[in-house]
Amino acid sequence: MTDNEKRFIKSIFSGDSSGHDYYHTIRVYKLATKIAKQENADVKTVQLAALLHDVDDIKLSPDTYATKKNAVDFMMANKVDEEIIKVVCKIIDEVSFAGTDSVVPDTIEGKCVQDADRLDAIGAIGIARTFAYGGSRGRKIYDPEIKPKIKMTKDEYQKNKNSTSINHFYEKLLLLKDMMNTTEGKKLAEHRQVVMQEFLNEFMLEWEGKM
């Protein structure tokens, strides 16, 4: 990653405390690069899409989400070929989780980036990000009276505002291991899944005063 790319990402995510920060992008970039090399994907396209995958995220930049203005402006300023710009924008569109309606990317490059983004949502980092994001949105940590909603569609997932951070594991995070696209992504997800399950087991024991 060049200094120019780092500066751009830092400027976009400066001050973010929801878990969609500069370091999230760096981790996704590194994971996507690793997966791309294992899957014989076009590494440069994967790296560009990973770098820019959150700069127009609907939760963070709703005004530019539809046009991908931040991503497009950056690529045009850096003289990226028009066809590559289209490919990268399509990958960005395909990355996000959207319940049972989640898109499976058409290309191996898209699959690499989606897997990398999902890997950073699970495991120890995923646990930390879940509570950071929940806190930024005023979510409760846990409320046994609010039950998780399983197998939501995209519309249901986006409208599911009255949930908790613990429910988020059951509504999304624990589902991601089986939604990985690539061999490398599936392999890396195995351990992270165990970390989350062990955390949830411990959380419930402590919640109920058994530990």
Side-chain angles (χ1 to χ4, degrees), residues 101-158:
D101 299 341
S102 292
V103 173
V104 176
D106 293 334
T107 64
I108 188 60
E109 288 74 25
K111 290 174 180 176
C112 292
V113 179
Q114 188 182 70
D115 279 7
D117 189 43
R118 288 176 173 176
L119 283 165
D120 203 58
I122 62 178
I125 289 286
I127 293 168
R129 291 183 66 217
T130 295
F131 293 104
Y133 185 79
S136 76
R137 294 297 186 271
R139 278 183 180 167
K140 295 179 180 180
I141 292 174
Y142 177 55
D143 184 339
E145 294 184 7
I146 302 173
K147 304 301 181 188
K149 298 176 182 176
I150 310 300
K151 294 184 178 179
M152 288 182 282
T153 64
K154 179 179 181 179
D155 191 49
E156 289 168 337
Y157 183 75
Q158 290 179 343

Side-chain angles (χ1 to χ4, degrees), residues 188-202:
L188 294 171
E190 291 286 343
H191 174 71
R192 296 186 185 216
Q193 185 86 348
V194 172
V195 170
M196 291 192 297
Q197 288 169 334
E198 289 178 346
F199 165 76
L200 290 167
N201 291 341
E202 180 70 17

Side-chain angles (χ1 to χ4, degrees), residues 65-95:
Y65 168 72
T67 61
K68 305 286 178 288
K69 185 178 188 304
N70 290 329
V72 171
D73 285 355
F74 176 81
M75 287 187 282
M76 289 181 68
N78 286 276
K79 297 180 171 55
V80 175
D81 183 82
E82 277 189 31
E83 285 305 308
I84 299 296
I85 291 176
K86 288 178 185 176
V87 169
V88 168
C89 286
K90 188 172 189 297
I91 290 173
I92 293 170
D93 264 334
E94 295 170 339
V95 165

